[in-house]
Amino acid sequence: MEQQNPPPGTRRPGGRTARTRAAVRDAVLTGLGEHGYPGLTVEYVAERSGVHKTTLYRRWGGIEGLVADALDLAGEDGWTPPDTGDLEGDLRALAREVRDSFADPAAAAAPTAFVAAAFQSQRAADALRAFYAERFARCEAVVERAVARGEAPAGTDAGAVVRAVSAPLFLRLFVTREPVDAALADQAAAATVAAVRAGAFTTGAGTGPATAPPAGG
């Protein structure tokens, strides 16, 4: 079978090429924050990054490829989920991290623009889906630890749990455009923990609710 070259912007080179990719990524993030996806242009990225636009077109193919690669790079960081010692503490920390990420309008501009781009570009949508799939996969350790401690039933769907805790926050952030505060983040965590203990997220037969820890224990 003939080997095909990877799409533009998907290689993982080091050295000067890696620095160029990082500079381009930073320019894309800044442009998304300042102008949103509809206002982002290759010319802007070229001027901001110092990379000639012919290079940008050759390696990334245009704005869709630039945005997708910026998301791809964002998923290559060393972020790890919290480990507070219990499920509710971990989920509360995760929910508050989502809230904090969007609390500052300036900091939230780029990730909000990524979501908007996903509604206008299939390639951006695919990249955003891959980014969150990878993020949620890292968070599954939170639930796996809870199962090992007996806080969650065996057979609990870890991916469903970590999505459930952030779902009400994203609903308010991107659908209803309502404010999100720490109290709502804590409520989302508590509701998810209650559902976990009740066995709502179990996937196998014969997996009943987990035994709740003693009050004050």
Side-chain angles (χ1 to χ4, degrees):
M1 181 176 178
E2 183 179 355
Q3 183 177 4
Q4 295 182 343
N5 292 326
T10 60
R11 296 177 178 85
R12 300 290 187 274
R16 186 174 66 179
T17 304
R19 291 192 296 272
T20 296
R21 189 176 176 221
V24 170
R25 183 274 312 272
D26 291 343
V28 170
L29 291 176
T30 302
L32 287 172
E34 292 179 354
H35 306 293
Y37 182 73
L40 184 65
T41 64
V42 172
E43 287 74 17
Y44 174 94
V45 176
E47 181 178 356
R48 185 87 186 188
S49 66
V51 178
H52 199 279
K53 67 178 184 180
T54 57
T55 301
L56 298 177
Y57 278 115
R58 182 177 70 252
R59 289 186 55 191
W60 284 274
I63 290 299
E64 285 189 328
L66 288 164
V67 170
D69 194 49
L71 265 170
D72 199 25
L73 267 175
E76 295 178 9
D77 61 12
W79 180 86
T80 56
D83 186 359
T84 66
D86 68 87
L87 179 61
E88 186 162 2
D90 288 348
L91 294 183
R92 186 186 304 117
L94 282 173
R96 287 195 174 200
E97 189 167 332
V98 172
R99 182 261 176 187
D100 292 345
S101 297
F102 294 93
D104 178 9
T112 300
F114 276 129
V115 174
F119 285 94
Q120 302 173 66
S121 159
Q122 185 58 52
R123 188 169 179 186
D126 292 342
L128 187 67
R129 186 180 306 113
F131 171 81
Y132 275 111
E134 197 275 339
R135 262 304 192 266
F136 288 139
R138 296 191 206 184
C139 293
E140 290 181 9
V142 165
V143 183
E144 292 163 0
R145 292 194 298 259
V147 171
R149 290 191 297 257
E151 293 180 89
T156 296
D157 185 336
V161 172
V162 296
R163 284 167 172 80
V165 73
S166 57
L169 309 181
F170 284 125
L171 172 70
R172 288 196 177 211
L173 287 166
F174 298 113
V175 179
T176 63
R177 307 296 291 175
E178 296 174 85
V180 174
D181 56 17
L184 180 69
D186 293 351
Q187 181 188 69
T192 304
V193 169
V196 168
R197 289 175 177 163
F201 294 103
T202 55
T203 57
T207 52
T211 302

